[in-house]
Amino acid sequence: MLYQPHPSNWPVFPPRERIANMLETYAMTQELIVWTNSSPTGRPVYDREKQRWTITIDRDGTELELHPAHIILATGTLGAPRMPEIPHHDQFSGTVIHATQFDKPYPFVGQDVVVVGAGNTSADICQDLAEGGAK
């Protein structure tokens, strides 16, 4: 992060609580404006001539129209879990969980396991499962 690099005494993959605390501290020390209970409504529109976006935000029940130069979509472990619709899911007799529900590999020892995902979380879960005895 600009102005506050990753602490040298931290692990490469710190726990999410530590990351959350670091983000809160960063926002405070850099005097960033953070809006919670906010989400975009509708679809942003880009004006090429003005090089600005028009986006409407629902901020805790109040709609605000903003015109930023950039929009950054940053989703990840701190977002709400989303379980995709999988056809014939009801016919599967095995365990189906979201990454947020994964705690330890022990319930899966000796079992064939499929992890769907391509991010850091799925890679971490795959490693835990492989080292913990899942197939």
Side-chain angles (χ1 to χ4, degrees), residues 78-89:
L78 300 176
R82 188 180 81 74
M83 235 0 207
E85 291 292 325
I86 300 173
H88 310 292
H89 169 262

Side-chain angles (χ1 to χ4, degrees), residues 6-7 9-11 14-25:
H6 188 85
N9 63 336
W10 279 22
R16 66 181 175 188
E17 292 80 13
R18 192 177 279 189
I19 295 291
N21 289 339
M22 183 176 77
L23 290 172
E24 286 180 8
T25 301

